[in-house]
Amino acid sequence: MTRLIFAFVPVALASATLFCTIDAGADILPPGHKGAKASIQVSGEPPQDSVFVLANTFDGTTTLEPGKPSPVNWHPLQGDLELVLVKRADLKQFEDLSREKDERWKTIRQYSTSCSKGFAGVRAIKVTEPYDEVRWYYEVNVDGDKCTSKLARTAYLAKGEEVRSEPSAPSATSKPSAAPSALPPGTDVSSPPNKSAASGGCSGCATSRSKPSAAWLFAPLLLLWRKRRKSRA
Protein backbone atom coordinates (compact mmCIF):
# COMPACT_ATOMS: atom_id res chain seq x y z
CA MET A 1 0.00 0.00 0.00
CA THR A 2 2.89 2.35 0.87
CA ARG A 3 4.49 1.72 -2.50
CA LEU A 4 1.17 2.43 -4.22
CA ILE A 5 0.83 5.76 -2.38
CA PHE A 6 4.33 6.90 -3.32
CA ALA A 7 3.85 5.77 -6.90
CA PHE A 8 0.73 7.92 -7.07
CA VAL A 9 2.52 11.08 -5.87
CA PRO A 10 4.12 12.09 -9.22
CA VAL A 11 0.82 11.55 -11.04
CA ALA A 12 -1.14 13.60 -8.49
CA LEU A 13 1.47 16.34 -8.56
CA ALA A 14 1.35 16.64 -12.34
CA SER A 15 -2.48 16.61 -12.35
CA ALA A 16 -2.69 19.34 -9.72
CA THR A 17 -0.22 21.50 -11.60
CA LEU A 18 -2.15 21.08 -14.86
CA PHE A 19 -5.46 21.89 -13.15
CA CYS A 20 -4.14 25.11 -11.64
CA THR A 21 -2.60 26.17 -14.94
CA ILE A 22 -5.91 25.71 -16.77
CA ASP A 23 -7.86 27.47 -14.01
CA ALA A 24 -5.60 30.52 -14.07
CA GLY A 25 -5.23 30.54 -17.83
CA ALA A 26 -8.49 32.42 -18.43
CA ASP A 27 -6.95 35.53 -16.86
CA ILE A 28 -3.41 35.33 -18.19
CA LEU A 29 -2.59 38.13 -20.63
CA PRO A 30 -1.56 36.96 -24.11
CA PRO A 31 2.12 37.39 -25.02
CA GLY A 32 2.92 40.96 -26.07
CA HIS A 33 -0.19 42.42 -24.42
CA LYS A 34 -0.86 44.66 -21.40
CA GLY A 35 -3.94 45.31 -19.33
CA ALA A 36 -6.18 48.20 -20.40
CA LYS A 37 -9.14 50.18 -19.07
CA ALA A 38 -12.38 50.82 -20.93
CA SER A 39 -15.08 53.48 -20.70
CA ILE A 40 -18.21 54.54 -22.54
CA GLN A 41 -20.01 57.83 -23.13
CA VAL A 42 -23.50 58.11 -24.58
CA SER A 43 -25.34 61.08 -26.04
CA GLY A 44 -29.08 61.44 -26.44
CA GLU A 45 -32.04 62.10 -24.16
CA PRO A 46 -33.89 59.21 -22.55
CA PRO A 47 -37.54 59.69 -21.50
CA GLN A 48 -37.96 61.39 -18.12
CA ASP A 49 -38.89 58.13 -16.43
CA SER A 50 -36.03 56.12 -17.97
CA VAL A 51 -32.22 55.87 -18.05
CA PHE A 52 -29.60 54.41 -20.38
CA VAL A 53 -27.85 51.35 -18.97
CA LEU A 54 -24.87 49.26 -20.05
CA ALA A 55 -25.93 45.68 -19.45
CA ASN A 56 -23.86 42.58 -18.66
CA THR A 57 -20.91 44.32 -17.06
CA PHE A 58 -18.92 42.53 -14.37
CA ASP A 59 -21.12 44.15 -11.73
CA GLY A 60 -24.30 43.34 -13.67
CA THR A 61 -25.29 46.73 -15.08
CA THR A 62 -23.90 50.28 -15.17
CA THR A 63 -26.26 53.27 -15.28
CA LEU A 64 -25.05 55.85 -17.82
CA GLU A 65 -25.42 59.63 -17.66
CA PRO A 66 -25.53 61.24 -21.13
CA GLY A 67 -22.51 63.42 -21.85
CA LYS A 68 -20.32 61.86 -19.15
CA PRO A 69 -17.88 58.92 -19.48
CA SER A 70 -18.47 55.85 -17.32
CA PRO A 71 -15.89 53.13 -16.58
CA VAL A 72 -16.63 49.70 -18.03
CA ASN A 73 -15.81 46.80 -15.74
CA TRP A 74 -16.03 43.66 -17.87
CA HIS A 75 -14.68 40.13 -18.30
CA PRO A 76 -14.66 38.16 -21.58
CA LEU A 77 -16.10 35.03 -19.91
CA GLN A 78 -19.29 36.98 -19.25
CA GLY A 79 -20.06 37.52 -22.92
CA ASP A 80 -21.07 40.66 -24.80
CA LEU A 81 -22.12 44.02 -23.43
CA GLU A 82 -25.28 45.79 -24.60
CA LEU A 83 -26.87 49.23 -24.34
CA VAL A 84 -30.43 49.14 -23.01
CA LEU A 85 -33.15 51.55 -21.87
CA VAL A 86 -34.57 50.95 -18.37
CA LYS A 87 -37.41 52.52 -16.41
CA ARG A 88 -36.09 54.23 -13.29
CA ALA A 89 -38.61 52.30 -11.21
CA ASP A 90 -37.13 49.02 -12.51
CA LEU A 91 -33.49 49.75 -11.69
CA LYS A 92 -33.88 47.84 -8.44
CA GLN A 93 -34.41 44.67 -10.49
CA PHE A 94 -30.74 44.83 -11.52
CA GLU A 95 -29.26 45.25 -8.05
CA ASP A 96 -28.50 41.55 -7.62
CA LEU A 97 -28.39 39.96 -11.07
CA SER A 98 -27.69 36.25 -11.38
CA ARG A 99 -24.20 35.14 -12.47
CA GLU A 100 -25.83 32.41 -14.58
CA LYS A 101 -26.04 33.85 -18.09
CA ASP A 102 -29.53 32.64 -19.04
CA GLU A 103 -31.10 33.92 -15.80
CA ARG A 104 -29.19 37.19 -16.05
CA TRP A 105 -30.37 37.91 -19.60
CA LYS A 106 -33.91 36.81 -18.76
CA THR A 107 -34.08 39.57 -16.13
CA ILE A 108 -32.43 42.15 -18.40
CA ARG A 109 -34.84 41.40 -21.24
CA GLN A 110 -37.86 41.53 -18.94
CA TYR A 111 -37.10 44.99 -17.54
CA SER A 112 -35.41 46.80 -20.42
CA THR A 113 -35.55 47.77 -24.09
CA SER A 114 -32.53 46.91 -26.25
CA CYS A 115 -30.71 49.86 -27.85
CA SER A 116 -27.78 48.06 -29.52
CA LYS A 117 -26.36 44.78 -30.66
CA GLY A 118 -24.02 42.98 -28.30
CA PHE A 119 -20.37 44.06 -28.39
CA ALA A 120 -17.19 42.92 -26.69
CA GLY A 121 -15.42 44.99 -24.07
CA VAL A 122 -11.67 45.35 -23.77
CA ARG A 123 -9.20 44.17 -21.15
CA ALA A 124 -5.89 43.87 -23.02
CA ILE A 125 -4.05 45.73 -25.78
CA LYS A 126 -0.64 45.37 -27.43
CA VAL A 127 2.26 46.55 -25.28
CA THR A 128 3.41 48.74 -28.18
CA GLU A 129 0.26 50.87 -28.05
CA PRO A 130 0.82 54.32 -26.47
CA TYR A 131 -2.63 54.38 -24.84
CA ASP A 132 -4.02 52.59 -21.76
CA GLU A 133 -7.76 53.22 -22.14
CA VAL A 134 -10.36 52.71 -24.86
CA ARG A 135 -13.50 54.88 -24.85
CA TRP A 136 -16.58 54.32 -26.99
CA TYR A 137 -18.90 57.21 -27.91
CA TYR A 138 -22.45 56.07 -28.69
CA GLU A 139 -25.32 58.15 -30.05
CA VAL A 140 -28.61 56.82 -28.69
CA ASN A 141 -32.05 57.70 -29.96
CA VAL A 142 -35.42 56.87 -28.38
CA ASP A 143 -38.54 57.05 -30.51
CA GLY A 144 -41.65 55.89 -28.70
CA ASP A 145 -41.08 52.30 -27.58
CA LYS A 146 -38.07 51.87 -29.89
CA CYS A 147 -34.45 52.55 -28.90
CA THR A 148 -31.58 52.60 -31.40
CA SER A 149 -27.91 53.56 -31.28
CA LYS A 150 -24.75 53.81 -33.34
CA LEU A 151 -21.08 53.95 -32.50
CA ALA A 152 -20.05 57.53 -33.28
CA ARG A 153 -16.33 57.04 -32.68
CA THR A 154 -13.74 55.25 -30.57
CA ALA A 155 -11.11 57.23 -28.66
CA TYR A 156 -7.79 56.04 -27.25
CA LEU A 157 -6.49 57.70 -24.09
CA ALA A 158 -3.27 57.71 -22.08
CA LYS A 159 -3.60 58.81 -18.45
CA GLY A 160 -6.99 60.32 -19.23
CA GLU A 161 -5.85 62.33 -22.26
CA GLU A 162 -6.87 61.37 -25.81
CA VAL A 163 -3.88 60.40 -27.94
CA ARG A 164 -5.57 59.39 -31.20
CA SER A 165 -8.84 58.30 -32.77
CA GLU A 166 -7.72 55.06 -34.40
CA PRO A 167 -5.47 52.21 -33.16
CA SER A 168 -2.33 51.24 -35.08
CA ALA A 169 -3.59 47.74 -35.84
CA PRO A 170 -7.35 47.40 -35.26
CA SER A 171 -8.90 43.96 -35.01
CA ALA A 172 -12.51 43.43 -36.14
CA THR A 173 -14.03 40.79 -33.90
CA SER A 174 -16.64 40.74 -31.16
CA LYS A 175 -15.93 37.19 -30.05
CA PRO A 176 -14.97 37.08 -26.35
CA SER A 177 -11.29 36.15 -25.90
CA ALA A 178 -8.31 36.85 -23.69
CA ALA A 179 -7.70 40.07 -25.63
CA PRO A 180 -10.95 41.06 -27.37
CA SER A 181 -11.14 43.79 -29.96
CA ALA A 182 -11.22 47.36 -28.76
CA LEU A 183 -13.61 48.21 -31.59
CA PRO A 184 -17.20 47.05 -30.91
CA PRO A 185 -19.50 47.17 -33.94
CA GLY A 186 -21.91 50.11 -34.02
CA THR A 187 -25.52 49.57 -34.97
CA ASP A 188 -28.74 51.47 -35.61
CA VAL A 189 -31.09 48.56 -35.03
CA SER A 190 -32.08 46.69 -31.88
CA SER A 191 -30.91 43.12 -31.51
CA PRO A 192 -30.34 40.60 -28.70
CA PRO A 193 -26.72 39.76 -27.86
CA ASN A 194 -24.84 36.79 -29.23
CA LYS A 195 -24.68 33.64 -27.14
CA SER A 196 -22.09 34.32 -24.48
CA ALA A 197 -19.88 32.25 -22.28
CA ALA A 198 -20.85 31.62 -18.66
CA SER A 199 -20.42 34.49 -16.28
CA GLY A 200 -17.34 34.56 -14.13
CA GLY A 201 -13.89 36.03 -13.84
CA CYS A 202 -12.29 38.74 -11.79
CA SER A 203 -12.39 42.52 -11.74
CA GLY A 204 -8.82 42.79 -13.02
CA CYS A 205 -6.45 40.80 -15.20
CA ALA A 206 -4.48 38.22 -13.24
CA THR A 207 -1.58 35.92 -13.95
CA SER A 208 -0.82 32.40 -12.85
CA ARG A 209 1.42 33.83 -10.14
CA SER A 210 -1.56 35.53 -8.49
CA LYS A 211 -3.14 32.17 -7.59
CA PRO A 212 -1.68 29.65 -5.09
CA SER A 213 -0.91 26.35 -6.79
CA ALA A 214 -2.52 23.21 -5.34
CA ALA A 215 0.68 21.40 -6.33
CA TRP A 216 2.33 22.65 -3.11
CA LEU A 217 -0.02 20.39 -1.17
CA PHE A 218 1.86 17.40 -2.54
CA ALA A 219 5.36 18.76 -1.92
CA PRO A 220 5.92 16.96 1.45
CA LEU A 221 4.90 13.62 -0.06
CA LEU A 222 7.21 14.17 -3.02
CA LEU A 223 10.19 14.96 -0.76
CA LEU A 224 9.50 11.87 1.35
CA TRP A 225 9.25 9.71 -1.77
CA ARG A 226 12.62 10.98 -3.05
CA LYS A 227 14.23 10.41 0.38
CA ARG A 228 13.05 6.80 0.49
CA ARG A 229 14.43 6.19 -3.01
CA LYS A 230 17.85 7.57 -2.04
CA SER A 231 17.97 5.49 1.16
CA ARG A 232 17.23 2.30 -0.80
CA ALA A 233 19.94 3.14 -3.34
Side-chain angles (χ1 to χ4, degrees):
M1 178 62 71
T2 302
R3 291 181 179 180
L4 181 60
I5 292 176
F6 283 108
F8 175 72
V9 170
V11 177
L13 183 61
S15 299
T17 302
L18 177 62
F19 174 79
C20 290
T21 301
I22 293 174
D23 182 55
D27 281 320
I28 296 177
L29 290 176
H33 286 73
K34 62 182 178 181
K37 296 184 294 183
S39 56
I40 188 171
Q41 182 171 320
V42 298
S43 61
E45 290 296 326
Q48 258 190 338
D49 63 346
S50 302
V51 292
F52 295 131
V53 168
L54 184 62
N56 205 34
T57 59
F58 184 77
D59 301 314
T61 58
T62 299
T63 301
L64 307 176
E65 185 177 347
K68 293 186 178 181
S70 298
V72 178
N73 193 1
W74 174 83
H75 194 281
L77 294 180
Q78 292 177 277
D80 288 350
L81 300 163
E82 185 179 333
L83 285 171
V84 297
L85 181 68
V86 181
K87 298 285 187 183
R88 292 183 185 275
D90 290 333
L91 284 175
K92 59 184 178 182
Q93 303 296 334
F94 303 118
E95 291 178 357
D96 190 23
L97 281 175
S98 171
R99 281 292 183 186
E100 201 282 312
K101 67 171 185 176
D102 290 336
E103 285 299 316
R104 168 176 282 204
W105 279 111
K106 181 179 178 181
T107 301
I108 293 173
R109 292 282 170 248
Q110 183 178 356
Y111 295 101
S112 71
T113 299
S114 177
C115 298
S116 77
K117 289 182 179 179
F119 61 90
V122 61
R123 284 172 65 85
I125 57 177
K126 292 182 178 180
V127 294
T128 53
E129 296 292 2
Y131 57 90
D132 55 29
E133 180 181 351
V134 178
R135 180 173 297 167
W136 305 298
Y137 288 86
Y138 270 87
E139 296 175 355
V140 188
N141 180 60
V142 181
D143 185 8
D145 59 355
K146 184 180 180 182
C147 182
T148 59
S149 69
K150 68 176 181 178
L151 178 64
R153 71 187 186 96
T154 302
Y156 303 87
L157 301 86
K159 297 181 180 180
E161 297 294 328
E162 190 169 336
V163 293
R164 65 165 170 256
S165 58
E166 289 297 333
S168 59
S171 172
T173 175
S174 61
K175 182 179 180 181
S177 64
S181 167
L183 296 171
T187 179
D188 57 1
V189 296
S190 299
S191 174
N194 299 326
K195 287 259 183 177
S196 60
S199 300
C202 61
S203 60
C205 292
T207 66
S208 57
R209 283 182 288 181
S210 66
K211 292 188 177 183
S213 173
W216 288 106
L217 299 176
F218 295 92
L221 288 176
L222 180 60
L223 292 174
L224 183 59
W225 174 66
R226 288 179 175 176
K227 185 176 180 181
R228 286 176 64 91
R229 288 192 63 183
K230 288 181 179 180
S231 63
R232 288 180 180 177

